[in-house]
């Protein structure tokens, strides 16, 4: 029944979209300016049959994975270090907190100046976008761990590395994967924006190109493609999180 409800809600949205656009409805919002569902489906069928479509998908996915994996590795490591070491926290937090409020997409001019190629600059923007949600979530997750857990294993003779491996990292996994899920979503927003500004290929670049030539069905196809890719990658992160935190109560996984 839950899947029927989900499919039904999506079908209702598509039916309403088709009705409003096909009837050229103007009710403050100008639905007569938008392509119909049928036009979008026809345009999507054309794009799926072209090799260029898959090249753009591969380019965007490659940029996302490169930036996101770097952000995950560095964000988790620094989050643990900052939360566990007062001295390193005092050293690293001030510059990180100054940079954190800056939108990643605002760093595009800096990326253009710093990196020799646009490709490296786009990966950098993606990295920055995902890095801070992961860092902050990890830091808070480490600090939220009950101190009694660490005290218990230390009384049994555990060393600091053993505490990190057996207590800190497993205990922070729910919070870490929450940050990874948020970071993936933000990374998609920024990689698409960066592709629109300075990319030469990719889903974002192709969507912007469709807009410049007044191909509105192509714009909608690009938006739907972005949404589908974002959903699939975020779902993959959440699925991995459920797999590695099977020890949690069922209520915590919903």
């Amino acid at each position: 029944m839950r899947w029927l409800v989900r499919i039904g809600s999506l079908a209702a949205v598509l039916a309403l979209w088709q009705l409003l656009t096909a009837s050229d409805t103007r009710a403050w919002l100008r639905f007569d300016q938008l392509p119909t569902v049928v036009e979008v489906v026809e345009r999507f069928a054309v794009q799926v049959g072209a090799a260029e479509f898959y090249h753009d998908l591969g380019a965007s996915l490659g940029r996302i994975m490169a930036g996101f994996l770097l952000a995950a590795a560095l964000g988790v490591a620094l989050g643990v270090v900052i939360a566990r070491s007062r001295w390193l926290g005092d050293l690293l937090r001030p510059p990180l907190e100054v940079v954190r409020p800056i939108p990643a997409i605002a760093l595009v001019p800096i990326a253009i100046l710093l990196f020799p190629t646009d490709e490296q600059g786009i990966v950098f923007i993606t990295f920055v976008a995902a890095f801070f949600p992961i860092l902050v979530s990890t830091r808070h997750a480490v600090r939220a761990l009950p101190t009694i857990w660490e005290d218990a294993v230390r009384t049994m003779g555990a060393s600091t590395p053993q505490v990190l491996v057996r207590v800190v990292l497993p205990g922070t996994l729910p919070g870490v994967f929450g940050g990874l899920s948020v970071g993936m979503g933000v990374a998609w927003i920024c990689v698409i924006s960066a592709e629109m500004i300075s990319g030469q290929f990719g889903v974002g670049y192709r969507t912007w190109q469709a807009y410049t030539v007044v191909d509105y069905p192509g714009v909608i196809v690009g938006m739907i493609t972005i949404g589908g890719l974002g959903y699939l990658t975020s779902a993959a992160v959440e699925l991995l999180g459920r797999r590695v935190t099977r020890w949690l109560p069922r209520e915590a996984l919903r």
Side-chain angles (χ1 to χ4, degrees), residues 19-245:
L19 175 64
L20 292 174
T21 53
S23 60
D24 293 335
T25 301
R26 280 198 175 214
W28 184 57
L29 297 175
R30 300 181 297 175
F31 293 100
D32 57 329
Q33 303 293 319
L34 294 176
T36 65
V37 174
V38 173
E39 292 172 336
V40 172
V41 170
E42 291 173 348
R43 187 71 178 85
F44 185 76
V46 172
Q47 289 203 11
V48 168
E52 183 180 75
F53 178 75
Y54 300 98
H55 181 258
D56 289 333
L57 287 183
S60 294
L61 284 171
R63 291 161 176 166
I64 277 288
M65 295 311 298
F68 180 77
L69 291 176
L70 286 172
L74 191 58
V76 172
L78 282 181
V80 172
V81 166
I82 290 173
R84 297 280 300 177
S85 171
R86 181 178 300 176
W87 184 82
L88 288 176
D90 291 339
L91 179 67
L92 297 176
R93 280 195 66 184
L96 290 173
E97 290 299 318
V98 169
V99 176
R100 184 163 68 94
I102 302 174
I105 197 62
L107 298 176
V108 168
I110 301 299
I112 293 173
L113 294 175
L114 281 176
F115 293 94
T117 67
D118 291 339
E119 187 70 17
Q120 294 170 346
I122 293 173
V123 171
F124 169 73
I125 296 300
T126 307
F127 161 79
V128 173
F131 171 74
F132 286 105
I134 297 170
L135 171 71
V136 173
S137 296
T138 302
R139 188 182 72 204
H140 286 304
V142 173
R143 289 183 173 175
L145 287 176
T147 55
I148 193 172
W149 292 3
E150 181 174 345
D151 294 339
V153 297
R154 284 197 181 277
T155 58
M156 293 185 286
S159 63
T160 298
Q162 289 175 324
V163 170
L164 287 174
V165 173
R166 296 181 179 272
V167 177
V168 176
L169 293 181
T172 58
L173 282 178
V176 167
F177 274 97
L180 291 173
S181 183
V182 174
M184 178 62 79
V186 179
W188 270 111
I189 294 172
C190 290
V191 75
I192 295 300
S193 301
E195 287 177 349
M196 288 181 174
I197 295 172
S198 63
Q200 297 180 350
F201 43 83
V203 179
Y205 169 77
R206 202 65 57 190
T207 302
W208 182 254
Q209 187 182 55
Y211 172 75
T212 60
V213 297
V214 201
D215 178 13
Y216 295 129
V219 172
I220 302 297
V221 168
M223 293 169 61
I224 293 173
T225 304
I226 294 164
L229 291 173
Y231 172 78
L232 291 175
T233 50
S234 294
V237 171
E238 293 181 5
L239 178 61
L240 178 61
R242 288 195 294 270
R243 290 288 185 269
V244 300
T245 57

